[in-house]
Amino acid sequence: MIDGCGRTIDHLRLSLTDHCNLACRYCAPEDTPVLGGMIEANFAFEIVRWLSLQHGIRHIRLTGGEPLLHPRLIPLIERLAGLDTLHEVTLTTNGQMLAQKAAALRDAGLNRINISLDTLDPRRFAHLTRGGDLARTLAGIEAAVAVGLTPVRINVVVQRGLNDHELNDIAQWSLARGCTVRFLEVMPIGPLAHVIDEHLVSAAEMLAQLNERFWLRPIPQSLGQPAVDYAAVGVGLRGVIGIIAPTTRPFCSRCRRLRVTSRGQLVTCLHDDRYYDLSRWWNGQTLDVEGADATLSSAINEKPASGAFVQLLCMQALGG
Ligand code: SAM
């Protein structure tokens, strides 16, 4: 699938629900709670099947909200894993319920997992996530490694004044467990766009801090890869540390992504407020492929060359 700017689109982020058991401060607004919709598993499957068979989508990441809250997650992954047009089915989670589910996810055919972890301090974790339990996420990470959902990737959103002194400790903790770790610049999304004014830490600053503890050598980037990954060597440790800089070094010209929200809306850019409704082509049993093709065609042709920063939704509702 080639968009209006000539970019190949082969990655899909599919939000299974906009409900979440945490409410991270940069992701979920405090005053306007997200309502908590769940996409029907059959609808989700038919969207992926259509996009992969007919439009060349090869990489699926299940997200949310919190995807582990979806009651049909395991059977959905089993069905997705059976689509031989897909190269991989991956998932992003906050890890709060992962310890109990890691083995079932692996058995269902999940290829890889990303786990969000912004701090190693239990009190700070509870503060940043508005109530999360650090021990549960750490246990989830250990379980994912133990069952072989590898390489397990730890995602850290770096925020000035909150966790920006923890980069080396989080990297060390992750590498010691055989995980890769990626540090992300906080992005200005929808109603929470203002968080960057106070909390943005640039990739350059992150790198300077990581260089104090690790020897870092850049690894050549693969297509569609927004992160700059480094082969990292520290005392008694080696692994991969990545940095993603969507705010100070946007990678729009290399964007290969589409999103589908848990309400069945196509979103072509995190920073654009046009949503293309696929749910009108779903009758509860079948997807009207002709109608969906027409909606997709408009979306793809109108995918912006770069972000206009007019998003209305928060990340939790969009699917991060
Ligand atoms: N609940 C899951 C989780 O916590 O990983 C999946 C959904 S969450 C929206 C997906 C990712 O988006 C997380 O790694 C989160 O940190 C990231 N995210 C959310 N809002 C963000 C923002 N404003 N800037 C950067 N990353 C953000």
Side-chain angles (χ1 to χ4, degrees):
M1 181 162 34
I2 309 284
D3 76 3
C5 300
R7 296 167 294 196
T8 300
I9 307 297
D10 55 3
H11 286 59
L12 175 69
R13 292 254 166 121
L14 176 60
S15 174
L16 298 186
T17 175
D18 52 20
H19 182 54
C20 192
N21 45 358
L22 300 182
C24 300
R25 289 168 189 273
Y26 48 74
C27 185
E30 189 169 27
D31 38 359
T32 45
V34 173
L35 291 175
M38 298 264 177
I39 195 164
E40 251 180 87
N42 286 342
F43 182 29
F45 176 74
E46 290 303 334
I47 289 173
V48 176
R49 183 158 71 153
W50 159 65
L51 286 173
S52 72
L53 281 176
Q54 301 196 17
H55 297 287
I57 289 290
R58 297 287 172 258
H59 305 264
I60 304 293
R61 175 168 297 283
L62 302 175
T63 185
E66 174 49 45
L68 295 195
L69 291 172
H70 197 287
R72 305 287 301 157
L73 174 64
I74 299 295
L76 174 61
I77 292 175
E78 278 168 0
R79 294 180 77 193
L80 294 175
L83 288 174
D84 49 19
T85 40
L86 288 181
H87 292 174
E88 59 173 4
V89 181
T90 62
L91 178 144
T92 302
T93 174
N94 59 36
Q96 291 283 287
M97 304 188 314
L98 186 56
Q100 311 89 291
K101 300 202 176 186
L105 290 167
R106 180 215 46 208
D107 292 348
L110 190 73
N111 297 108
R112 282 190 299 117
I113 196 158
N114 286 4
I115 302 160
S116 302
L117 174 72
D118 291 347
T119 176
L120 289 172
D121 179 293
R123 283 174 54 187
R124 191 170 300 124
F125 187 90
H127 172 75
L128 295 178
T129 59
R130 296 200 186 95
D133 180 349
L134 175 66
R136 292 176 65 144
T137 291
L138 298 186
I141 295 170
E142 307 265 10
V145 172
V147 303
L149 276 172
T150 49
V152 172
R153 188 187 295 151
I154 308 299
N155 280 344
V156 186
V157 177
V158 181
Q159 300 155 79
R160 188 174 304 286
L162 296 173
N163 65 350
D164 54 333
H165 56 295
E166 286 196 66
L167 272 67
N168 284 321
D169 290 345
I170 298 175
Q172 185 150 341
W173 188 93
S174 306
L175 266 47
R177 282 153 186 81
C179 302
T180 64
V181 58
R182 280 204 176 146
F183 296 99
L184 283 86
E185 288 179 351
V186 66
M187 289 183 281
I189 306 288
L192 291 170
H194 57 86
V195 296
I196 70 158
D197 300 339
E198 204 182 334
H199 296 302
L200 176 66
V201 177
S202 71
E205 288 175 84
M206 296 180 201
L207 195 56
Q209 192 181 134
L210 291 164
N211 270 318
E212 291 168 8
R213 200 176 301 178
F214 298 94
W215 184 74
L216 299 169
R217 181 173 46 82
I219 301 171
Q221 274 169 279
S222 58
L223 284 174
Q225 156 83 274
V228 180
D229 281 336
Y230 297 86
V233 179
V235 179
L237 281 177
R238 59 178 61 236
V240 175
I241 298 179
I243 297 186
I244 310 188
T247 305
T248 65
R249 291 196 304 244
F251 32 83
C252 308
S253 64
R254 290 182 284 119
C255 182
R256 301 171 78 96
R257 241 176 238 169
L258 272 185
R259 287 183 153 76
V260 172
T261 70
S262 58
R263 287 156 208 273
Q265 293 169 315
L266 270 169
V267 176
T268 61
C269 172
L270 270 181
H271 303 295
D272 193 72
D273 61 353
R274 281 169 289 188
Y275 316 111
Y276 301 83
D277 190 16
L278 292 174
S279 68
R280 57 200 280 243
W281 307 116
W282 173 248
N283 65 8
Q285 277 171 341
T286 51
L287 184 69
D288 172 348
V289 167
E290 230 168 79
D293 277 345
T295 299
L296 176 67
S297 164
S298 313
I300 285 299
N301 286 326
E302 290 166 18
K303 180 171 162 76
S306 59
F309 298 97
V310 289
Q311 184 54 261
L312 299 172
L313 300 177
C314 62
M315 192 69 130
Q316 182 185 345
L318 278 167

